[in-house]
Amino acid sequence: MKKNILLKPLCCVLSAFILMLSSYSPVEAAEFPASWPQSPEIAEETGVLMEASTGQILFDKGMDEIRYPASTTKIMTTLLILENIEDLSQTVTFTDVITPDLEPGNSTINAQVGEQLTVEQCLYAIMLASANEVCTQMAVYVAGSVENFVSMMNQRASQLGCQNTHFVNANGLPDPNHYTTAHDLALILAAAIQNEDFCRISGSATYTIPATNMTSSPRNLENSNALINDSEYHYDGVIAGKTGHTEAAKNTLVTAAARDGMTLVCVVLRSDGENRFIDTVSLFNYGFENFHLSPVYWLNSEEPAGYVVLPKGVESNVLTVKDSDSGDTRTRTYSYQGVDLYSAQISLPVSFEQEADIPSSSFYQIRGWDYVLPGMGVILLILCISEIIILISFASRKKPKIKKKRSA
């Protein structure tokens, strides 16, 4: 009985050393806190506003409902090209694989079989002119066939956490099996804008492809995203984006903008007329005017371990932290006004050696403890060693008595 009494505080002491978090990820929220700023109404069927660095959702209108992406597909196409080709000055020679995409009504730069462009020129043609035939040719250039490239697209989407996306081509032309969601497109653009070349190309208002081996005149390209080009909807801070349009998808728009250290991704699907630009501006204004990134700290760290998006005037020290264990996994959940905003997990147990190697990605909400905890840690370690010595001493003194058997 005494042994159990001694073991109990020892277990409590040891548990203090495994409160470490190795990674964090946003929790998809079906609801927002009671004091969440009132969001604007949008005309589109579905839409989302997401903070890019955290993945936190600030606005949700059917963000996980499946829709056709149209040419916003080309964000994934461009991302894969950039991830698989380092030298953008490489020459691409167009082949007859582009012929079906040159039919009247398709979005093209009227590339010709045998014409040569650099990879960079092809990327501008894809993102600014939305050239379908260039997407097809680059898919073959990267993967050997459109089918192989599409497999890469679907695999990459899965890696990014897309749960309701399936591609069958590289350009977004209508197909019943080619679909996505506003949320998934936001995840794809959030990954793409981490690439500097993607932002440089996608964020350009205009670009000129000079004369080629098959043309005597240059091609002047203009970005169809009105938030990027010089239009009434131009939005300061936009860094990248892509428009789309088919009869099946209607108008689509995916855009990223950065202000005051926060990067927002906005997606609107199935829009009519200019609503996609009007509503994207409205959602960006909503995000930048009402929210900010608030740092969260872990234990004795002087530097922020990460950030959480909260209404302006609210800081992360108001968050409620709750730990729960299941099997060998500990989950820590961060909540605001009863609504979970983030969760984090680690595998248990964590050794002292492992703790030293784990980056500071855990969050602790009371900064005053940053200065107290180092000393407490030493005291706890001493107590732990003392408990072990006492247990060993107790066990060595209490030897079991062996009763001698009586002979019959």
Side-chain angles (χ1 to χ4, degrees), residues 32-38 291 311 314 336-337:
F32 296 108
S35 66
W36 211 247
Q38 182 63 44
F291 298 94
V314 178
Y336 175 57
Q337 295 183 343

Side-chain angles (χ1 to χ4, degrees), residues 156-400:
R156 190 72 175 97
S158 178
Q159 290 172 351
L160 294 175
C162 300
Q163 298 182 358
N164 298 289
T165 293
H166 186 262
F167 298 116
V168 298
N169 58 55
N171 48 36
L173 287 173
D175 187 287
N177 294 314
H178 189 98
Y179 54 82
T180 188
T181 67
H183 190 189
D184 286 357
L185 283 173
L187 294 174
I188 294 170
L189 184 61
I193 59 176
Q194 297 179 42
N195 186 294
E196 292 182 3
D197 287 323
F198 180 90
C199 293
R200 174 174 58 85
I201 293 168
S202 178
S204 297
T206 61
Y207 181 78
T208 298
I209 299 176
T212 69
N213 62 316
M214 302 286 287
T215 64
S216 58
S217 300
R219 294 180 175 97
N220 296 316
L221 312 180
E222 183 175 347
N223 201 319
S224 57
N225 189 339
L227 278 73
I228 294 175
N229 62 34
D230 187 14
S231 76
E232 62 178 307
Y233 302 113
H234 178 83
Y235 196 83
D236 290 338
V238 169
I239 57 178
K242 184 71 187 76
T243 60
H245 172 78
T246 64
E247 289 186 7
K250 291 190 174 183
N251 294 325
T252 60
L253 180 62
V254 182
T255 315
R259 286 185 182 179
D260 301 324
M262 187 165 64
T263 301
L264 301 181
V265 175
C266 182
V267 182
V268 289
L269 301 179
R270 285 191 65 80
S271 177
D272 293 313
E274 301 295 291
N275 285 334
R276 58 179 168 175
F277 303 123
I278 296 171
D279 288 339
T280 295
V281 168
S282 178
L283 287 173
F284 275 149
N285 286 339
Y286 165 71
F288 289 120
E289 291 172 4
N290 291 282
F291 298 94
H292 72 125
L293 284 172
S294 179
V296 285
Y297 297 87
W298 116 328
L299 298 181
N300 61 343
S301 174
E302 289 295 325
E303 297 298 322
Y307 295 84
V308 60
V309 183
L310 291 169
K312 287 187 175 180
V314 178
E315 299 298 338
S316 58
N317 58 1
V318 305
L319 297 180
T320 301
V321 180
K322 180 181 179 181
D323 290 336
S324 61
D325 293 344
S326 177
D328 62 353
T329 301
R330 169 159 290 168
T331 299
R332 173 166 288 186
T333 302
Y334 298 85
S335 304
Y336 175 57
Q337 295 183 343
V339 177
D340 295 346
L341 297 182
Y342 285 91
S343 66
Q345 292 183 332
I346 56 166
S347 297
L348 301 176
V350 177
S351 68
F352 292 113
E353 292 78 9
Q354 287 175 317
E355 289 181 22
D357 295 334
I358 295 176
S360 296
S361 57
S362 173
F363 309 145
Y364 203 83
Q365 303 305 322
I366 305 177
R367 286 301 311 279
W369 285 97
D370 291 352
Y371 305 97
V372 178
L373 282 169
M376 290 181 62
V378 174
I379 295 172
L380 287 172
L381 182 59
I382 294 172
L383 289 174
C384 181
I385 294 172
S386 300
E387 291 281 1
I388 294 173
I389 293 173
I390 292 171
L391 283 174
I392 294 173
S393 176
F394 182 83
S396 61
R397 290 200 307 268
K398 190 174 181 180
K399 295 181 180 180

Side-chain angles (χ1 to χ4, degrees), residues 4-26:
N4 289 336
I5 294 174
L6 292 170
L7 278 172
K8 194 171 182 179
L10 177 59
C11 292
C12 294
V13 171
L14 289 173
S15 67
F17 290 96
I18 56 177
L19 294 176
M20 292 272 186
L21 304 175
S22 61
S23 63
Y24 67 92
S25 59

Side-chain angles (χ1 to χ4, degrees), residues 113-169:
V113 175
E115 187 170 10
Q116 294 181 332
L117 297 175
T118 66
V119 171
E120 183 172 73
Q121 291 167 348
C122 288
L123 290 172
Y124 276 105
I126 291 171
M127 291 304 292
L128 271 62
S130 206
N132 292 328
E133 83 277 26
V134 180
C135 293
T136 299
Q137 187 62 65
M138 286 305 303
V140 174
Y141 186 81
V142 170
S145 69
V146 173
E147 291 75 17
N148 289 343
F149 189 80
V150 167
S151 294
M152 293 171 62
M153 294 172 72
N154 288 321
Q155 182 179 7
R156 190 72 175 97
S158 178
Q159 290 172 351
L160 294 175
C162 300
Q163 298 182 358
N164 298 289
T165 293
H166 186 262
F167 298 116
V168 298
N169 58 55

